[in-house]
Amino acid sequence: SGWMFDHLTEMGQSLAAFATDLGAKLNDVTVLTLTEFGRRVEENGSAGVDHGHGQAVLLLGGGVDGGKVHGTWPGLAERDLYDGDLAGTTDYRSVLAEALEKRCGAGALTSVFPNLPTDRVGAFKTRT
């Protein structure tokens, strides 16, 4: 329970309703959701979580290699945290770049994302 739980539940239900409404057309749509900043691991006094280091990216729709965690999962043990935060392991720009490359056929993206890492998480299938 709590603020974060309530809002994540609402978000999940909204994404599920969107997918249901699209039906088979969901194969032509790719949805990326990402946080604008990370969140701390532990709850604060109002059952939420404060700004932190690691963030989440959720993917839905056509071309998504779903049902798994992509990238490196650092773990939640105290020794795995970054100053009490979930350690960031993936540059979010590499996820966006992969979506643009594989789903939209985009070429070089270094002018859009300066100093873009070359690694990709493998979360998308090439659009046919």
Side-chain angles (χ1 to χ4, degrees), residues 63 70 92-104 109 113 116 119-125:
H70 292 277
Y92 73 92
R93 299 173 308 155
S94 66
V95 179
L96 295 173
E98 183 179 347
L100 290 170
E101 292 162 349
K102 292 190 175 177
R103 299 300 295 155
C104 302
L109 295 169
F113 301 119
L116 176 68
D119 61 322
R120 303 292 183 263
V121 296
F124 299 93
K125 302 169 190 165

Side-chain angles (χ1 to χ4, degrees), residues 42-123:
E42 294 188 23
E43 283 186 346
N44 61 23
S46 61
V49 286
D50 297 320
H51 295 190
H53 185 72
Q55 71 177 68
V57 177
L58 304 175
L59 309 171
L60 171 73
V64 173
D65 185 12
K68 61 183 108 179
V69 173
H70 292 277
T72 303
W73 173 246
L76 293 173
E78 187 65 36
R79 70 181 178 280
D80 298 324
L81 300 179
Y82 175 82
D83 194 25
D85 288 344
L86 184 64
T89 62
T90 304
D91 187 323
Y92 73 92
R93 299 173 308 155
S94 66
V95 179
L96 295 173
E98 183 179 347
L100 290 170
E101 292 162 349
K102 292 190 175 177
R103 299 300 295 155
C104 302
L109 295 169
T110 53
S111 63
V112 177
F113 301 119
N115 303 313
L116 176 68
T118 57
D119 61 322
R120 303 292 183 263
V121 296

